[in-house]
Amino acid sequence: MRAGSIGVQRGMTLIEVLVALLILTVGLLGAAAVQLNALKYTDSSRMTSQASFIAYDMMDRIRANSGADYTVTPPTSGNLSVTRDQDLYDFTSNIVSFGGPTATGSITLNQRVYTITINWSDARAANTASAPRSFVLSSRAAVDPVATP
């Protein structure tokens, strides 16, 4: 040992350890916040995808049964003997099962173009009490008649 080196510090002080721990904690909290936001937005994306699946399924059913009027009020129970009623019942049941009791769906027809609208609350992703979201699908259900010259 050299003379005068008896009081030289070896290792780290408690303050240095606490500062390093504070920096690590802030970094971990930031990573946790990013992970929570990713989960919220993934759930929101899943809801939109589910709404699109339901709307496209209903559009396929409309095309398969093109002679029926799908703009009527959906029945409150299924009816396997009437295809349109069963389709509309399945449509409303699928909407309620994915979006909860406040989710709604509607089908309108304007000049042979069907518009399917599905509305639900996306409050979880928006961090608000009410965050309405909607998915709208418009499509022609039948081919235009061929005009003869």
Side-chain angles (χ1 to χ4, degrees):
M1 290 184 114
R2 289 188 286 167
S5 66
I6 296 174
V8 174
Q9 173 187 346
R10 294 176 195 231
M12 298 173 50
T13 66
L14 185 59
I15 293 175
E16 291 171 334
V17 171
L18 290 175
V19 168
L21 188 61
L22 177 69
I23 292 171
L24 178 66
T25 303
V26 168
L28 289 175
L29 286 175
V34 168
Q35 184 68 23
L36 285 175
N37 281 337
L39 287 174
K40 285 191 305 188
Y41 297 133
T42 299
D43 186 57
S44 179
S45 175
R46 181 191 59 82
M47 297 280 283
T48 303
S49 295
Q50 188 66 34
S52 75
F53 293 150
I54 292 169
Y56 277 101
D57 175 58
M58 191 63 206
M59 187 58 72
D60 288 340
R61 291 177 186 219
I62 291 171
R63 287 187 184 113
N65 192 13
S66 62
D69 180 17
Y70 280 88
T71 61
V72 299
T73 304
T76 57
S77 64
N79 183 0
L80 293 174
S81 61
V82 180
T83 304
R84 180 201 64 192
D85 290 348
Q86 185 63 42
D87 290 346
L88 289 171
Y89 175 74
D90 290 343
F91 177 64
T92 55
S93 297
N94 289 338
I95 290 171
V96 169
S97 68
F98 109 91
T102 60
T104 60
S106 64
I107 301 172
T108 58
L109 176 63
N110 185 11
Q111 296 179 356
R112 295 190 308 226
V113 174
Y114 279 92
T115 301
I116 299 173
T117 305
I118 300 175
N119 299 308
W120 71 95
S121 173
D122 201 11
R124 182 174 166 184
N127 286 334
T128 62
S130 173
R133 292 281 309 261
S134 63
F135 181 84
V136 178
L137 172 67
S138 295
S139 180
R140 191 174 305 269
V143 177
D144 288 334
V146 177
T148 56

